[in-house]
Amino acid sequence: MKENASDFISKSTIKAADKEHRRKINYNINKYNSVVPQGKQQFSDINLAREKAKNLKWKAIENLDKQLEKFEANITKRGAKVIWAEDAQQALDAINKICKEKNCRTLVKSKSMVTEEIHLNDFLKKNGIESVETDLGEYIQQLDGEPPYHIVTPAMHKSKEDVAKLFFEKLGTDPKLTPEQLTLVARKVLREKYVQAEVGITGANFIIADIGAIAVTENEGNARLSCAWPKTHIVVTGIEKIIPSLTDLALFWPLLATYGTGQKVTVYSTIVSGPRQENETDGPDDMYVILLDNGRTNILADEKQRESLYCIRCGACLNACPVYKNIGGHTYATAYSGPIGSVITPHLKQMDDWKHLSYASSLCGNCTEVCAVKINLHELLLENRHEAVDHGNSSFAERMAWKMWKQGMLRRKWMNMAGGSTKNWIVNNLLKGWKEHRGEIDFPKKSFNQAWKEKYGNR
Ligand code: SF4
């Protein structure tokens, strides 16, 4: 077994038995579940809205090359510079080069999963640049030296008491502060960082092709400050974030807010279409947009998996997943966790190293049921398993076991020849993983055929 897979299994085993973890997650996910229906009420037909969003993303992704070039042409006209990065290293090098040119010592960063994907903070630290997370959840995680736990709510696994304790340990505040007081402490620290920072980095929730702009949604205003306060603004975004037109935001913004946090629309919704223009008073002198591939074109090339690029990162599939809720976000050891992470990570990285994530699913389909853009997530998880086997990424023992299973299942007589105790022995001893996590199986003494015959004869 690969190291990643055995790590995943040992961490999952510990987390699944951690009742305190489960209590906190259930508390926060229950709060989410209670507000999402309210957000949905703004749509006259929520299913139609999801279908329409899926169609729009389909249109954008099927024409990805043209849409991206259109975006580049339009935003360049307004003075932004577009940088194409094939992989994480190219993106990091580009950021480093800009930071050097701008003599950057402190950088403020708003929440961005793409920057987690390329491990930007570690890279900046090695290069002597202080990178400060300005989203409250991300700031908490950074203080604690932990990566985000969830793609929308980074500190979802922490209670307010945990945060008060953390602030007390790291910032010397009163350990009994309320959430409001803690927020004010973070606000004070972060405001000073905005003033110091030479560069601000944000992600993009959407890249808009027809007007050449990025759209950012948030609830704290920190992304807007990161865009506008420092003299240089760098956007790092995956190429799949493209949408064809500004008018599409009328659908995507409320949809993302509803499925992300149960809101009608987030508190701050910002469109940035370039650096400060002549006659404008606010905004940065320079704006760079880094369009990151980093494995996304592998997904694009795979006709079946392509629809995973429609994802708008609302996080709904994580909240709905029984596996995620039990093993938690950090167990995945990837930037993107939960069902969508399990679908895309083997393609963004290596199938052989990450295929185990696609097996960590009951295939209950709850993720597909709740997906804001109707991605067939559970089918894609199954497809990943097919691809892993087709590419030879399965062990000899596993292949043999399934071969024998298939032979047995195709021959009723063989199945009937073995009595209940033989079947018990095979399943409980040869299929070791089964017994370890689920308890022993006890087959009936008589086969189904025998039982049927005794009851109904040869009907
Ligand atoms: S796959 Fe669907 S539900 Fe999951 S984060 Fe993406 S858009 Fe949201």
Side-chain angles (χ1 to χ4, degrees):
M1 190 186 288
K2 291 269 178 178
E3 207 182 319
N4 286 344
S6 60
D7 264 11
F8 177 79
I9 290 173
S10 27
K11 283 186 195 154
S12 317
T13 311
I14 296 168
K15 226 18 140 190
D18 182 343
K19 288 193 182 146
E20 186 54 16
H21 169 259
R22 199 178 303 180
R23 186 190 67 74
K24 288 174 194 165
I25 294 309
N26 283 342
Y27 175 77
N28 285 320
I29 292 185
N30 286 343
K31 277 209 297 197
Y32 166 85
N33 289 339
S34 67
V35 290
V36 169
Q38 292 166 25
K40 282 184 182 170
Q41 279 173 13
Q42 67 183 312
F43 297 93
S44 53
D45 186 337
I46 184 70
N47 278 324
L48 190 65
R50 292 164 72 206
E51 200 70 57
K52 198 165 175 221
K54 183 173 191 175
N55 286 339
L56 283 169
K57 283 303 284 187
W58 168 80
K59 185 173 152 193
I61 297 294
E62 289 299 312
N63 297 291
L64 187 57
D65 51 347
K66 293 191 189 74
Q67 296 283 347
L68 288 171
E69 282 172 6
K70 198 170 174 184
F71 163 79
E72 181 183 29
N74 286 328
I75 201 163
T76 306
K77 275 188 220 151
R78 291 180 55 86
K81 296 176 192 78
V82 173
I83 298 167
W84 299 76
E86 275 181 30
D87 54 28
Q89 196 54 53
Q90 283 189 9
L92 293 171
D93 290 344
I95 294 167
N96 198 26
K97 187 163 172 272
I98 299 165
C99 286
K100 280 202 173 126
E101 281 167 14
K102 308 293 175 189
N103 290 322
C104 174
R105 306 295 348 135
T106 304
L107 176 156
V108 281
K109 200 176 144 288
S110 78
K111 189 179 160 329
S112 149
M113 291 313 293
V114 174
T115 56
E116 293 297 327
E117 177 187 334
I118 62 174
H119 302 292
L120 179 63
N121 283 349
D122 291 345
F123 174 83
L124 291 172
K125 196 172 174 192
K126 277 185 204 139
N127 284 279
I129 298 169
E130 182 194 21
S131 169
V132 184
E133 294 289 352
T134 60
D135 170 271
L136 182 58
E138 290 279 2
Y139 178 67
I140 291 168
Q141 288 304 95
Q142 190 177 36
L143 269 187
D144 208 7
E146 276 190 335
Y149 177 92
H150 185 283
I151 59 177
V152 175
T153 33
M156 186 193 242
H157 60 310
K158 287 185 166 77
S159 64
K160 57 184 192 307
E161 291 78 18
D162 293 337
V163 179
K165 185 166 171 275
L166 177 72
F167 275 43
F168 162 68
E169 285 166 7
K170 304 286 175 175
L171 304 174
T173 53
D174 181 340
K176 293 208 173 70
L177 291 189
T178 62
E180 291 74 21
Q181 290 168 323
L182 292 164
T183 307
L184 287 177
V185 171
R187 188 176 191 266
K188 188 164 180 289
V189 175
L190 293 172
R191 287 286 153 133
E192 279 164 26
K193 294 295 174 187
Y194 284 117
V195 179
Q196 288 166 15
E198 294 86 6
V199 172
I201 291 195
T202 69
N205 293 103
F206 302 100
I207 319 171
I208 311 163
D210 68 345
I211 60 159
I214 62 144
V216 182
T217 66
E218 45 146 355
N219 282 316
E220 297 166 16
N222 63 302
R224 192 175 276 189
L225 286 173
S226 302
C227 290
W229 207 327
K231 287 212 159 83
T232 303
H233 175 203
I234 304 176
V235 182
V236 191
T237 176
I239 51 177
E240 82 284 8
K241 295 290 180 75
I242 197 86
I243 55 172
S245 168
L246 176 68
T247 55
D248 300 332
L249 280 181
L251 173 61
F252 281 110
W253 263 348
L255 200 63
L256 178 54
T258 292
Y259 281 83
T261 50
Q263 291 167 283
K264 283 188 174 166
V265 72
T266 53
V267 178
Y268 298 93
S269 300
T270 310
I271 297 170
V272 184
S273 58
R276 180 165 43 81
Q277 306 292 299
E278 254 180 64
N279 307 323
E280 285 182 350
T281 47
D282 298 320
D285 296 345
D286 295 301
M287 177 181 177
Y288 299 85
V289 182
I290 300 180
L291 296 174
L292 180 73
D293 178 344
N294 208 29
R296 286 160 176 78
T297 44
N298 296 338
I299 302 178
L300 186 68
D302 186 328
E303 232 175 288
K304 288 186 180 147
Q305 298 288 352
R306 193 176 296 163
E307 70 169 288
S308 61
L309 295 176
Y310 305 168
C311 174
I312 57 170
R313 307 279 188 260
C314 70
C317 58
L318 283 66
N319 301 337
C321 177
V323 175
Y324 181 90
K325 282 193 267 194
N326 277 292
I327 67 171
H330 288 148
T331 305
Y332 291 77
T334 56
Y336 308 103
S337 55
I340 185 63
S342 301
V343 167
I344 61 175
T345 306
H347 300 278
L348 295 181
K349 297 182 170 190
Q350 290 294 322
M351 176 61 82
D352 202 19
D353 290 338
W354 298 96
K355 67 175 193 291
H356 59 275
L357 297 180
S358 310
Y359 290 83
S361 165
S362 60
L363 300 179
C364 64
N366 211 17
C367 45
T368 303
E369 194 82 9
V370 301
C371 176
V373 287
K374 288 194 163 206
I375 299 173
N376 286 317
L377 288 156
H378 69 295
E379 287 179 17
L380 298 183
L381 288 168
L382 198 55
E383 185 54 32
N384 270 356
R385 299 184 192 181
H386 287 153
E387 286 183 24
V389 173
D390 286 350
H391 297 163
N393 293 320
S394 55
S395 69
F396 176 73
E398 190 186 327
R399 286 200 300 277
M400 284 311 291
W402 285 117
K403 212 170 198 169
M404 283 161 61
W405 183 269
K406 186 177 166 189
Q407 295 304 325
M409 296 305 281
L410 288 173
R411 289 170 180 78
R412 172 63 65 186
K413 274 189 187 154
W414 287 16
M415 292 290 287
N416 291 347
M417 258 158 53
S421 50
T422 314
K423 287 176 189 163
N424 284 345
W425 187 86
I426 292 174
V427 172
N428 295 322
N429 293 290
L430 293 186
L431 303 178
K432 289 208 173 75
W434 183 275
K435 188 166 116 183
E436 262 172 46
H437 299 286
R438 300 173 182 85
E440 294 198 5
I441 283 193
D442 191 14
F443 283 91
K445 285 196 178 65
K446 290 177 188 168
S447 72
F448 175 75
N449 278 170
Q450 275 174 299
W452 180 276
K453 218 175 203 169
E454 281 173 22
K455 194 161 183 191
Y456 302 110
N458 278 330
R459 269 198 278 166

